[in-house]
Amino acid sequence: MDFLKELGIKEKNYGASTGLKWFDTTDQGELKVVSPVDGKQIAVVYQSSTADFDKVVEKADEAYKYWRTIPAPKRGEIVRLVGEELRKFKKPLGTLVSYEMGKSLQEGLGEVQEMIDICDFAVGLSRQLYGFTMHSERDKHRMYDQYHPLGIVGIISAFNFPVAVWSWNAMIATVCGDSNLWKPSSKTPLTAIAVQNILANVIRANELPEGLFSLVIGRGSTIGEKFLTDNRIPLVSITGSTVVGRHANEVIAKRFGKTILELGGNNAIIITPNANLQMAIPAVVFGAVGTAGQRCTTTRRLIIHAEVYDKVKESLLKAYQTVKIGNPLDENNHMGPLIDKAAVKSFVDALQKVKEAGGKVIYGGEVLEGEEYKSGCYVKPAIVEAENHYEIVQEETFAPILYLIKYTGNVTKAIEIHNDVVQGLSSSIFTDNLQEAEEFLSANGSDCGIANVNIGTSGAEIGGAFGGEKETGGGRESGSDAWKAYMRRQTNTINYGSKLPLAQGIKFDI
């Protein structure tokens, strides 16, 4: 395939790089990367050793100590050049994202566009790493705070957004003066290798230090654990399951490291009697079936008022019949495959559990068969009538299952149902009633990190801080002031007088 050659993907690829140098370790096992699109093997990746990891971290630390001395606007210029290089490779990289992960080509290209957008955002940010000044209570004293580079930022990314989430972290960290060390999902390592090859063009052209952008591909039990325990990595940003995040947070906290956690989501949309259904239905369908239900922000629960429940259900059944499922590289298709057969099993098992709990599958749920679906990873998205308290509804199933939940009464009741899960990532309400919208956004409303009105739960812009509360982890990536997590804060007080007054009026005469 031409796009693999263009991105420097070979039949067999090494799994550890300091930016320009690839380590030639081959004795740690192979990752055979199979596309969920057609079941064909794309390439092989040799997994990294712990010795590779130590060498890469050493280089990353050296790069950090140099990079922190470079003025932030000049660091921003390098990020601008990264964005320009990504523009050149948008089509082949977006195609690889689609083929390796299984999302539609439009979503694959959109993911690379997110990378470009965050580069543009970070360039502007490089001139806006602001601190604050405060008035001192002491004569002839000036007090202010400022932010300094932190060190190596470890980035552990998930398969569903194999490149965009890395860029959210890496581009912000780079302008903040940090170096970056990336462990991608073992399910989608080729996109990471491709990005590393693209970055190498910028590194060479600008004589940047090795280790500024590094990569290690390997087992979670070895390489992953090294990320968590290594004191040379002060911050680890993790996108993944709540189980993974809980373990990581406990281990990193023991060494007083910092984490950014973006974990599970059980996202809901509330539809009130005052909703514009012409807007709501497309938002629900895209939120539920986009990326085959494998977004952190996928719409999983639809909380519908009894007055409009039947109308919404009927509209959804009609809309789902128009969803085209097939090869995601065909732009006529809306939905591609799940990432692998294990994901298909989770989909099937979840539907069985909800039926046992008393739920009713009213659309879809089948594993698709036939030549077009020979990888065994294609499913028909499911619509299920359920109740919020069902154990399986309380969980996040990373698959296209939409639970319809009926409510009666006012919007306060809908919000209670909405908040009655342990996750707290993304949320939305569809209503043209100002009071309902404002209550949803108030302190009494959605308990999620993202709360929307009259748009869906997925498709966040890079300009807003991304992340959630409760078991979603509490971290924030990308926009707003999320940059502060990648820096260390320092308060400074300067005495420009000739006396030494103490705070709080304390006297200490000697």
Side-chain angles (χ1 to χ4, degrees), residues 269 279 283 427-430 450-461:
I269 295 176
M279 292 172 59
S427 61
S428 177
I429 188 171
F430 274 83
I450 300 168
N452 300 325
V453 176
N454 292 336
I455 64 170
T457 59
S458 61
E461 297 183 33

Side-chain angles (χ1 to χ4, degrees), residues 425-485:
L425 180 53
S426 187
S427 61
S428 177
I429 188 171
F430 274 83
T431 179
D432 287 340
N433 180 285
L434 178 63
Q435 284 79 13
E436 290 179 335
E438 289 295 334
E439 183 169 352
F440 182 73
L441 299 178
S442 75
N444 297 323
S446 168
D447 61 2
C448 292
I450 300 168
N452 300 325
V453 176
N454 292 336
I455 64 170
T457 59
S458 61
E461 297 183 33
I462 57 93
F466 184 87
E469 300 301 320
K470 302 191 291 187
E471 291 193 3
T472 301
R476 295 296 186 274
E477 302 165 312
S478 192
S480 187
D481 66 346
W483 62 270
K484 292 180 179 179

Side-chain angles (χ1 to χ4, degrees), residues 76-117:
E77 172 61 12
I78 296 301
V79 169
R80 186 188 71 80
L81 295 173
V82 171
E84 290 302 308
E85 202 67 17
L86 287 169
R87 284 177 170 88
K88 297 177 188 176
F89 290 91
K90 179 178 176 179
K91 185 173 182 180
L93 183 57
T95 303
L96 177 57
V97 168
S98 178
Y99 188 57
E100 185 180 29
M101 185 269 153
K103 64 176 59 177
S104 73
L105 180 58
Q106 283 301 310
E107 290 185 77
L109 295 170
E111 184 166 346
V112 181
Q113 186 61 49
E114 277 194 55
M115 302 175 78
I116 295 166
D117 291 345

Side-chain angles (χ1 to χ4, degrees), residues 480-497:
S480 187
D481 66 346
W483 62 270
K484 292 180 179 179
Y486 303 89
M487 305 195 80
R488 60 180 178 89
R489 186 170 185 163
Q490 185 179 80
T491 299
N492 308 113
T493 305
I494 300 168
N495 180 355
Y496 58 91

Side-chain angles (χ1 to χ4, degrees), residues 320-390:
Y320 266 55
Q321 290 170 14
T322 68
V323 174
K324 296 177 181 176
I325 306 164
N327 188 322
L329 297 177
D330 181 345
E331 295 189 56
N332 291 313
N333 291 324
H334 301 107
M335 184 180 127
L338 292 173
I339 185 65
D340 54 25
K341 291 181 180 178
V344 174
K345 185 177 186 304
S346 294
F347 172 78
V348 172
D349 289 349
L351 292 175
Q352 181 60 35
K353 288 178 182 178
V354 77
K355 286 188 282 189
E356 290 172 357
K360 182 181 179 183
V361 178
I362 61 173
Y363 184 87
E366 302 90 355
V367 178
L368 298 177
E369 299 178 349
E371 182 62 23
E372 186 179 2
Y373 311 119
K374 62 184 178 182
S375 69
C377 297
Y378 292 84
V379 301
K380 197 170 185 179
I383 302 175
V384 184
E385 292 185 300
E387 295 183 20
N388 198 65
H389 64 83
Y390 293 169

Side-chain angles (χ1 to χ4, degrees), residues 21-299:
K21 178 182 178 182
W22 290 88
F23 295 91
D24 59 0
T25 299
T26 59
D27 62 356
Q28 296 298 303
E30 298 179 349
L31 287 174
K32 293 180 171 60
V33 185
V34 175
S35 171
V37 174
D38 54 18
K40 295 179 181 178
Q41 182 172 301
I42 310 172
V44 169
V45 179
Y46 294 114
Q47 298 196 97
S48 307
S49 68
T50 54
D52 293 336
F53 176 89
D54 287 331
K55 292 173 186 175
V56 168
V57 172
E58 184 179 344
K59 282 294 183 184
D61 191 47
E62 290 175 9
Y64 158 67
K65 289 172 181 174
Y66 163 78
W67 193 240
R68 68 185 177 184
T69 68
I70 304 300
K74 291 185 178 180
R75 300 193 295 248
E77 172 61 12
I78 296 301
V79 169
R80 186 188 71 80
L81 295 173
V82 171
E84 290 302 308
E85 202 67 17
L86 287 169
R87 284 177 170 88
K88 297 177 188 176
F89 290 91
K90 179 178 176 179
K91 185 173 182 180
L93 183 57
T95 303
L96 177 57
V97 168
S98 178
Y99 188 57
E100 185 180 29
M101 185 269 153
K103 64 176 59 177
S104 73
L105 180 58
Q106 283 301 310
E107 290 185 77
L109 295 170
E111 184 166 346
V112 181
Q113 186 61 49
E114 277 194 55
M115 302 175 78
I116 295 166
D117 291 345
I118 199 67
C119 287
D120 291 347
F121 179 90
V123 172
L125 180 65
S126 68
R127 295 179 181 271
Q128 300 181 74
L129 302 176
Y130 298 128
F132 295 95
T133 59
M134 294 76 71
H135 288 276
S136 174
E137 65 184 65
R138 292 169 282 185
D139 287 346
K140 296 186 177 180
H141 280 60
R142 181 165 68 88
M143 189 163 56
Y144 67 96
D145 64 25
Q146 63 178 331
Y147 292 84
H148 291 304
L150 185 62
I152 302 171
V153 173
I155 304 166
I156 300 177
S157 61
F159 75 85
N160 59 327
F161 278 84
V163 291
V165 172
W166 167 81
S167 69
W168 292 357
N169 289 274
M171 295 303 100
I172 302 298
T174 299
V175 298
C176 287
D178 304 321
S179 59
N180 299 279
L181 177 57
W182 185 11
K183 181 188 180 302
S185 168
S186 294
K187 296 181 179 182
T188 51
L190 298 179
T191 47
I193 292 171
V195 170
Q196 198 76 0
N197 290 337
I198 293 169
L199 290 169
N201 299 332
V202 179
I203 294 169
R204 289 192 193 94
N206 294 276
E207 299 181 342
L208 298 175
E210 282 191 74
L212 185 58
F213 300 107
S214 299
L215 177 72
V216 282
I217 298 167
R219 297 181 183 88
S221 59
T222 54
I223 300 301
E225 285 299 310
K226 294 280 281 184
F227 269 77
L228 310 186
T229 58
D230 198 311
N231 284 317
R232 295 171 294 179
I233 306 175
L235 171 66
V236 184
S237 177
I238 301 169
T239 303
S241 70
T242 297
V243 172
V244 169
R246 181 178 285 111
H247 167 70
N249 205 32
E250 289 173 354
V251 175
I252 294 168
K254 286 180 180 178
R255 64 174 176 87
F256 294 98
K258 299 171 65 177
T259 57
I260 297 173
L261 301 175
E262 200 280 283
L263 310 175
N266 197 347
N267 317 293
I269 295 176
I270 295 171
I271 296 184
T272 82
N274 300 297
N276 180 337
L277 297 185
Q278 288 185 323
M279 292 172 59
I281 298 302
V284 171
V285 176
F286 174 73
V289 308
T291 325
Q294 297 172 117
R295 288 184 178 225
C296 302
T297 53
T298 289
T299 305

